Amino acid sequence: MNRESSVSDEKTRFRQSMDKIYDSRLPFLSANDAGRTAERLRSIPEYRDASMVLVSLHPSVRQAGLNVLADRKKLVLPTPGLQKGFVLIDPVTVSPPKRPMAVRPLLRNPFGTKLSYQESLVPPIDLLICEALFIGADGTRLGDGDGHLDLQCAILSTLGWLAAAPQVIALVDDEQILPSVPAGPTDVGVHCIVTPHQVLRTGCTHLPRCGIIWEALDRKQVRRNEALFYLSRQQQALSDAPQ
């Protein structure tokens, strides 16, 4: 068994064991705590200094997306399943009453500009805000098993849309923090954890800059993901070019 398979099995066992402990009610942020956590996020320098922020589509971090627009920062959102790539939402173009609709998971967001894979993103993304099922105080992160954050970062890195040292911040409930959780070498690490009651810097130094592991993806997944499909054709063109 290779290392990736071993780590994947360990994650599955861990999720199953925690699911039993919590009786299938895993401790995501409640609506009230999500608001308090997003407000606490505003107080830390990693957020205050950011100018281009990617926010996960998970409901528990949606208030953070609203705050990004209210704080006049540019917001990048993945489309559901990355079927249509990423959209850029400029706070100047969205009135306050429209912000809740602008941050919802939409395939075609009428408030955003679809980002072209052939163009640079200026400024690049310097902050990524995500959720987690469980998070390690050491910066390890366990998601829902779909690998959304890891794949997004691999795509963003390949496209050159990440800043030199982008920060990753997880918004979670205190109950979701453990000393460590299972993680593989390609998993995105978390630099800072924000909860309704505390800010915890993990000491993680890994940056979310990695290549796409094509052999881990099947053809259907590539075809359904517009960004992956574009990058796969680009890679094929390079390999077919005469040396």
Side-chain angles (χ1 to χ4, degrees):
M1 181 181 295
N2 62 39
R3 184 179 180 187
E4 285 294 333
S5 297
S6 177
V7 171
S8 178
D9 290 345
E10 184 182 2
K11 290 179 182 178
T12 298
R13 290 193 296 269
F14 186 87
R15 290 188 188 96
Q16 291 172 343
S17 67
M18 299 307 286
D19 195 50
K20 289 179 181 178
I21 291 172
Y22 286 93
D23 193 24
S24 300
R25 295 188 295 272
L26 293 171
F28 280 114
L29 288 166
S30 66
N32 286 340
D33 282 345
R36 293 168 59 195
T37 304
E39 191 61 32
R40 185 176 295 277
L41 171 68
R42 288 172 127 169
S43 69
I44 67 174
E46 294 91 333
Y47 176 84
R48 292 199 307 267
D49 295 342
S51 56
M52 185 75 77
V53 184
L54 182 138
V55 178
S56 162
L57 295 179
H58 195 274
S60 66
V61 298
R62 195 165 293 155
Q63 183 60 49
L66 289 171
N67 290 354
V68 167
L69 294 177
D71 295 334
R72 315 295 280 183
K73 302 176 187 293
K74 291 185 177 181
L75 174 66
V76 176
L77 292 177
T79 57
L82 281 184
Q83 291 181 53
K84 297 297 179 182
F86 301 85
V87 295
L88 172 64
I89 302 174
D90 191 326
V92 175
T93 65
V94 184
S95 64
K98 300 292 186 182
R99 288 172 188 158
M101 182 59 70
V103 300
R104 295 191 70 81
L106 304 170
L107 274 179
R108 291 175 175 81
N109 192 323
F111 305 96
T113 301
K114 186 176 181 303
L115 290 172
S116 169
Y117 310 122
Q118 297 175 319
E119 298 178 6
S120 300
L121 183 60
V122 182
I125 295 167
D126 48 7
L127 176 62
L128 300 97
I129 298 171
C130 65
E131 79 294 345
L133 282 181
F134 292 96
I135 199 92
D138 59 357
T140 50
R141 173 185 177 274
L142 188 74
D144 60 8
D146 289 333
H148 292 309
L149 180 64
D150 302 324
L151 185 56
Q152 286 173 27
C153 287
I155 291 171
L156 293 169
S157 179
T158 303
L159 290 168
W161 289 356
L162 293 179
Q167 296 295 291
V168 180
I169 298 180
L171 308 187
V172 297
D173 188 88
D174 294 89
E175 195 175 357
Q176 293 173 265
I177 303 175
L178 303 171
S180 186
V181 297
T186 62
D187 290 339
V188 172
V190 172
H191 304 104
C192 183
I193 303 168
V194 181
T195 81
H197 306 102
Q198 64 174 322
V199 174
L200 174 64
R201 288 179 174 80
T202 66
C204 172
T205 58
H206 300 302
L207 298 176
R209 306 181 66 89
C210 57
I212 297 168
I213 305 174
W214 292 105
E215 57 270 24
L217 305 171
D218 60 48
R219 183 176 299 180
K220 183 181 293 186
Q221 185 177 8
V222 172
R223 293 190 67 86
R224 288 180 174 177
N225 183 314
E226 191 183 81
L228 282 177
F229 187 64
Y230 167 82
L231 290 170
S232 69
R233 292 183 59 138
Q234 188 180 59
Q235 184 189 54
Q236 186 63 48
L238 289 173
S239 64
D240 290 344
Q243 301 297 317

